[in-house]
Amino acid sequence: LLEHMIFKGTDIYETEKDIDDFRKNITLGTLNAHTGIFEMVVKAKCLPYNFEKCLEGMMSMILTPKLRDEDFATEKKIVMDEAWKRFKNEKQIAYTRKLRNARLSNLPDRLRIVSALGWPDTISKIENTDVKDAYKKYMVKENISFFIAGNLDIIGGLDNIKNILNTNILKLSQ
């Protein structure tokens, strides 16, 4: 849900439409995200002359997401729909749980899961306060990595990139 909510608005891009315009105009339509078991990845491509604007926009999604209550219900429904696409019905959920319990039964469930999506019954219990709490707890500078590819000299070289990143990373919680 946090991954979905960062696309709904930030301090720089107030609305989902503003973020969509950023996606189209700055990131060449490539701005996207996915959540794995141990990570949330936000990625985009841009032309060299838009590098700072691209990084600024992506950092605003990480540093200042709105996480508004009015956006939460919509995104929760989307995530629930994703879960029900994976688990077609209650019978399949019961089978999947039984199978997971049989495999590597000495490990906690979280280590046997292959998806970060979760079960429909657990998703239904999540509230926007849970998303906000997860944001505060896990969106900290110790949990962030950057991967930048391309001709770095075109965008001022590695030292320039480090300065831009460090300025933004300092804004994250400890």
Side-chain angles (χ1 to χ4, degrees), residues 18-130:
D18 295 335
I19 290 178
D20 197 45
D21 290 344
F22 166 71
R23 174 188 285 119
K24 291 175 190 170
N25 298 324
I26 304 299
T27 72
L28 309 168
T30 64
L31 179 66
N32 204 343
H34 71 269
T35 302
I37 297 172
F38 301 109
E39 77 276 334
M40 179 177 71
V41 176
V42 181
K43 55 190 170 189
K45 296 178 183 177
C46 67
L47 295 171
Y49 62 85
N50 277 332
F51 174 73
E52 287 192 42
K53 189 77 171 165
C54 179
L55 186 58
E56 175 188 57
M58 293 175 71
M59 289 302 296
S60 75
M61 294 172 71
I62 294 166
L63 295 171
T64 61
K66 293 292 184 183
L67 305 178
R68 293 179 286 246
D69 291 337
E70 59 267 25
D71 296 326
F72 177 75
T74 304
E75 294 311 306
K76 184 174 178 176
K77 183 181 180 331
I78 290 168
V79 172
M80 282 292 286
D81 289 347
E82 288 176 7
W84 281 116
K85 284 179 187 171
R86 172 161 297 148
F87 303 111
K88 308 294 183 213
N89 53 47
E90 293 291 343
K91 188 175 180 179
Q92 184 185 10
I93 290 173
Y95 171 78
T96 303
R97 283 186 166 154
K98 185 176 179 180
L99 182 63
R100 287 184 184 174
N101 285 332
R103 291 182 186 164
L104 304 170
S105 60
N106 59 331
L107 295 176
D109 193 41
R110 72 181 191 286
L111 297 177
R112 288 181 268 136
I113 295 173
V114 294
S115 168
L117 183 56
W119 304 104
D121 62 328
T122 57
I123 295 168
S124 69
K125 296 174 187 170
I126 298 172
E127 299 296 334
N128 198 29
T129 55
D130 299 317

